[in-house]
């Protein structure tokens, strides 16, 4: 019984992860140009980034009709990381029409992100 629950949960996470766009230096600008986009600057080795990942997945699943949720691996997109002066991770930047409107560094709860997004909509 326990294994079934785990598999079901993994399937849900997989579905939520499909709502997240994965950005790099080549597609970053085109993705953030339209509407509101939440971008999670992260690295696979970052513990706090792994802590916040389920929250980012939830936001992508629940708000995909209102915003774009994206992740950018700082190690594979160093030009974009430098352009936005991301020096600590996780850094979550909210863009509206291609312009930065808000930034959070470090771990926050889901409600903090929902509030930040609501202010931009």
């Amino acid at each position: 019984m326990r294994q079934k629950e785990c598999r079901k949960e993994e399937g849900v996470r997989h579905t939520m992860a499909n709502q997240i766009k994965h950005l790099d230096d080549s597609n970053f600008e085109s993705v953030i140009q339209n509407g509101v986009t939440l971008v999670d600057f992260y690295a696979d080795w970052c513990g706090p980034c792994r802590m916040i990942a389920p929250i980012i997945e939830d936001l992508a699943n629940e708000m995909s009709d209102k915003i774009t949720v994206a992740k950018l691996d700082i190690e594979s997109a160093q030009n974009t990381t430098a352009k936005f002066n991301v020096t600590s991770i996780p850094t979550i930047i909210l863009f509206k029409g291609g312009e930065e409107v808000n930034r959070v560094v470090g771990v926050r709860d889901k409600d903090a992100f929902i509030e930040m997004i609501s202010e931009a909509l």
Side-chain angles (χ1 to χ4, degrees):
M1 184 74 167
R2 184 87 173 140
Q3 286 180 331
K4 247 185 188 177
E5 290 172 5
C6 290
R7 280 193 209 126
K8 183 179 178 187
E9 186 174 317
E10 287 170 5
V12 169
R13 284 194 177 154
H14 180 69
T15 300
M16 287 190 279
N18 288 341
Q19 297 292 334
I20 297 175
K21 292 191 183 301
H22 293 276
L23 305 181
D24 55 35
D25 287 337
S26 66
N27 68 359
F28 185 85
E29 290 295 330
S30 64
V31 171
I32 68 163
Q33 288 307 309
N34 299 314
V36 176
T37 306
L38 182 84
V39 181
D40 175 15
F41 288 77
Y42 78 101
D44 289 332
W45 49 262
C46 168
C49 298
R50 288 193 302 269
M51 287 174 52
I52 204 170
I55 295 170
I56 301 299
E57 290 175 2
D58 284 350
L59 292 170
N61 190 47
E62 294 169 14
M63 303 189 86
S64 64
D65 59 331
K66 296 177 184 151
I67 67 166
T68 299
V69 177
K71 292 179 75 81
L72 181 128
D73 183 342
I74 63 164
E75 292 187 337
S76 62
Q78 293 179 3
N79 292 336
T80 303
T81 300
K83 178 180 178 181
F84 288 96
N85 298 312
V86 174
T87 57
S88 298
I89 53 174
T91 292
I92 292 77
I93 302 178
L94 190 66
F95 296 90
K96 185 172 185 177
E99 299 295 320
E100 181 177 336
V101 294
N102 209 334
R103 176 184 294 229
V104 172
V105 179
V107 177
R108 299 289 189 283
D109 65 14
K110 186 175 172 183
D111 290 339
F113 291 115
I114 291 172
E115 183 178 330
M116 182 171 84
I117 293 164
S118 296
E119 290 173 5
L121 291 175

